[in-house]
Amino acid sequence: MKRLLPALLTVMSLVSGPATVLLADEVYSGIAGYSEKVLPSARDTYVSVPVRAGEAALGELTLEGSPDPDGNQDISISGLGGWSADELADRHAVRLFEGVGEGLRFPVSANNGSTATVNFETAAPSPGAIVALEEEWTLDTLFPPATQAVFHESTSKFASGRRSELIVLSPQSNSGLVSGARIYFLESGAWFESGGSFRAAGTDRIPVDAVLVIRHPSGLGGTSWDMQGIGFHGPVASRIVRESQVARSYSYGLLKLGGTTLADLNLSAPAFRESSGVAVAERVDILQRFETTLPSSPTPAATFFTTSTGWKNARAGTPVADAEVLPNGSALVIENLTAPAAHQSNWIQTGATAP
């Protein structure tokens, strides 16, 4: 099995602005850091999770047999195995490090002692490609009910007893803003999904590039969230799928640690279209960064667009913004101001090909 290359372990403040390097040491890992987010009362706090759930294990892929009629494919990964039945199915995924679908992640749906079952959709990798087997966050692992102090626990499952909520934004929306794909709350020491039968939801996976909204009600006070962990090593891709002549908004969590500039965001045409000029009427795609807003008025903290001369800030004067730093853990929304042509691409936010 191939291991992660030695890298500098750089611990950084991920609150806002450029990172402050505190120490460095050589380890077999990625980049480590922590992020302190203040979560005020009566506000929605938008945030991404720039640290991974566990260390990735790299190896060469072997396709075992052929896909079934539903596209499920059994695979083995060199150097890995010895699993108990379906132990990977709860929260593990396979990430492609090279080739077709580079950076995309595919959940493991089943496994035996030596093979795992995934559905690669249209991105089936070549045999021998390097892949990463890694854990994904769930509600219970990112916010353990027994120990976390981020959320005010609800006193019942109904509206009268509801306190803090966790909203996982939909990756796309027709509304010009993003909508909640899932809404969760904590009650009686467990996570539940809002609505319907109040399904127990502690094992629900949180997409790697999801935007999370932590909503605190008024009158109960704010909290804080300290995230600690290791950043993503190698390519991590977000899939952007546009329908022809349909204007949408797309939400993505920023995965790079240490802060990144707009110029280094690796977001360009055709996934993000260039505007013909700086006038409002000439803009076609905009990038919005969200922080803390009123629940009834989710206005962005900053808005950007690109022209032939680079990134621009949409504030008065439309100053050049190539060097503007996006705070760690930023929540980003791509909004189509004009309807695009049909398009599908994979936006690789981090890293490069496998070592």
Side-chain angles (χ1 to χ4, degrees):
M1 181 186 71
K2 296 188 177 182
R3 299 285 296 179
L4 298 179
L5 292 179
L8 287 181
L9 173 61
T10 308
V11 180
M12 293 170 279
S13 169
L14 308 186
V15 181
S16 62
T20 300
V21 177
L22 300 180
L23 60 88
D25 193 11
E26 184 173 288
V27 296
Y28 286 83
S29 185
I31 297 177
Y34 63 88
S35 178
E36 298 176 346
K37 285 288 180 181
V38 176
L39 312 170
S41 175
R43 293 291 188 275
D44 283 355
T45 303
Y46 290 68
V47 66
S48 63
V49 184
V51 294
R52 62 183 190 244
E55 183 177 349
L58 304 187
E60 293 184 1
L61 175 75
T62 297
L63 302 177
E64 304 289 349
S66 301
D68 69 15
D70 295 322
N72 298 308
Q73 172 72 58
D74 290 337
I75 65 169
S76 59
I77 303 172
S78 61
L80 301 182
W83 308 301
S84 58
D86 290 341
E87 73 167 279
L88 304 179
D90 289 337
R91 60 176 187 267
H92 284 77
V94 171
R95 177 159 52 108
L96 308 184
F97 261 60
E98 58 188 4
V100 177
E102 178 186 13
L104 293 177
R105 303 155 314 282
F106 301 92
V108 176
S109 59
N111 72 270
N112 58 28
S114 60
T115 65
T117 303
V118 296
N119 191 317
F120 290 112
E121 303 168 2
T122 60
S126 301
I130 300 299
V131 299
L133 179 66
E134 56 194 356
E135 289 187 41
E136 294 185 306
W137 290 114
T138 67
L139 288 175
D140 280 346
T141 57
L142 187 59
F143 300 110
T147 59
Q148 68 83 34
V150 175
F151 295 86
H152 296 290
E153 189 165 351
S154 296
T155 58
S156 77
K157 295 180 176 64
F158 303 104
S160 60
R162 190 70 55 81
R163 300 296 183 260
S164 299
E165 293 179 319
L166 174 67
I167 304 167
V168 180
L169 292 188
S170 170
Q172 62 183 36
S173 169
N174 289 315
S175 65
L177 290 171
V178 287
S179 57
R182 294 282 188 270
I183 301 176
Y184 301 101
F185 62 95
L186 191 64
E187 191 261 339
S188 297
W191 284 103
F192 296 92
E193 184 177 4
S194 179
S197 60
F198 300 112
R199 178 182 60 86
T203 59
D204 279 16
R205 302 186 192 211
I206 297 174
V208 168
D209 56 355
V211 170
L212 308 181
V213 181
I214 298 173
R215 174 171 292 173
H216 283 336
S218 60
L220 289 181
T223 63
S224 64
W225 181 22
D226 298 335
M227 289 178 282
Q228 301 183 40
I230 306 296
F232 290 91
H233 175 88
V236 182
S238 299
R239 178 166 284 174
I240 298 177
V241 180
R242 286 174 161 166
E243 299 177 40
S244 180
Q245 303 307 310
V246 178
R248 292 188 185 275
S249 295
Y250 307 83
S251 62
Y252 301 100
L254 180 65
L255 296 178
K256 291 187 177 182
L257 284 173
T260 186
T261 64
L262 285 166
D264 290 334
L265 200 56
N266 195 33
L267 182 60
S268 59
F272 189 87
R273 296 172 298 167
E274 189 177 282
S275 296
S276 59
V278 298
V280 172
E282 296 173 310
R283 301 171 195 173
V284 291
D285 285 344
I286 58 175
L287 179 69
Q288 300 173 318
R289 179 175 65 82
F290 283 83
E291 286 183 352
T292 303
T293 72
L294 289 169
S296 58
S297 180
T299 54
T303 300
F304 309 98
F305 61 97
T306 59
T307 69
S308 59
T309 58
W311 284 95
K312 301 290 190 294
N313 193 307
R315 67 174 182 265
T318 59
V320 174
D322 286 341
E324 188 153 343
V325 174
L326 297 172
N328 298 273
S330 287
L332 305 177
V333 173
I334 299 171
E335 184 173 348
N336 305 145
L337 297 182
T338 63
H343 167 71
Q344 177 173 310
S345 65
N346 300 328
W347 171 31
I348 298 179
Q349 287 200 45
T350 68
T353 54

